[in-house]
Amino acid sequence: MKAASFSAFTFHEGSWSSNIALPGMKINEDIDVKHNVVGIGYLETMQIPLLAGRNFSSSDTSTSQHVAIISEHTAKILFPLGNPLGRHYGLGDNKPENDVTVIGVVKDVKFDDLAEEPMNLDYIPYTQHPWSFGDFEVRYTGGFAPVAAAVQRTIHSIDRNLPITRVTTLDQQVARSITNQRLVAQLSAFFGLLAVFLSCIGIYGVMSYVVTRRTNEIGIRIALGAGRSNMLWMVLREILILVSTGVVIGLPVTLAGDRLVSHMLFGLRSTDPVTLVGATVILLIVAAIAGYLPARRASLVDPMMALRYE
């Protein structure tokens, strides 16, 4: 185990939120900040980078000045001018007991879902805001099962009656948050493969028909000295020209539909060049394979039989 802490919420578990009161200003109902009550070491456990200021420490007690760490986006919204460190704001109102001092700024993180834009988020130490905590986080190396079992044994050695539920990893929690997107992706992949399969059948059928219609021409070409490899390439070239024309038309359409699929992609841009080039190459290879049999049949035509063919 490398680090451990606790928090009121982790990813995709909801939040406690309130308006913010800035000194000398009326409460802006449009500014809503989500709060997460956390333990010491939470940022290190979750590997949230500290951009400025300090982390929570044992000196942040119930009798000391109440403090908070805010996200980078929150700092830009609440304190657009100047350094946010040392600035004050109120949790919901201007009452002295709800006043907190900003001691740090951290990098923005995904809190509710992977598709969200940067949001207003702050972190408050549990020592100053008691909370019935929901999550205990552990950063570890090695296998999940033995570490989870060891952590549960340690907790129950302190309080045997303490219930422990939903023991999972952050990766699994993130995966559950995109169940719908994964289902759509799987269906899209299935229908995409089905479309490729139908395209193969279509290409094979069309080129078989073309070869049959051009049997006389192919026989004459071979009789006049054309090599069988030339006939093979002649048919394959027509296939590749047709597919390339479709790709030339399809790529601009794909780029134009960028916004329709961008919200379904995580860690991947809809205009990712590697993906687009890979898909294009796969289509060309599939088309070449689908058209190879008719092309090979054309290259094996007997000139005498082809000349008598009607």
Side-chain angles (χ1 to χ4, degrees), residues 18 36 85 178 222 308:
S18 70
N36 198 4
L85 299 179
I178 55 173
I222 294 176
R308 291 199 298 266

Side-chain angles (χ1 to χ4, degrees), residues 207-223:
M207 296 315 299
S208 293
Y209 176 75
V210 169
V211 168
T212 300
R213 295 288 294 175
R214 297 178 64 181
T215 299
N216 285 340
E217 174 194 345
I218 293 171
I220 293 172
R221 287 176 180 270
I222 294 176

Side-chain angles (χ1 to χ4, degrees), residues 50-55 68-71 75 84-86 101-106:
L50 184 68
L51 302 179
R54 68 172 178 87
N55 206 336
I69 295 175
I70 61 178
S71 68
L85 299 179
T101 301
V102 178
I103 62 168
V105 178
V106 295

Side-chain angles (χ1 to χ4, degrees), residues 199-208 211 231-240 243 283-298:
S199 297
C200 289
I201 294 176
I203 291 172
Y204 175 81
V206 169
M207 296 315 299
S208 293
V211 168
M231 292 298 96
L232 179 66
W233 172 241
M234 181 185 74
V235 178
L236 284 177
R237 183 176 56 198
E238 293 183 4
I239 297 171
L240 294 177
V243 175
L283 284 175
L284 291 173
I285 292 174
V286 168
I289 293 174
Y292 175 75
L293 289 178
R296 185 172 182 274
R297 191 168 71 246

Side-chain angles (χ1 to χ4, degrees), residues 257-280:
D258 169 48
R259 295 183 180 180
L260 297 177
V261 297
S262 58
H263 69 284
M264 299 169 58
L265 303 174
F266 305 106
L268 178 69
R269 294 183 293 112
S270 54
T271 55
D272 180 60
V274 175
T275 302
L276 293 177
V277 170
T280 301

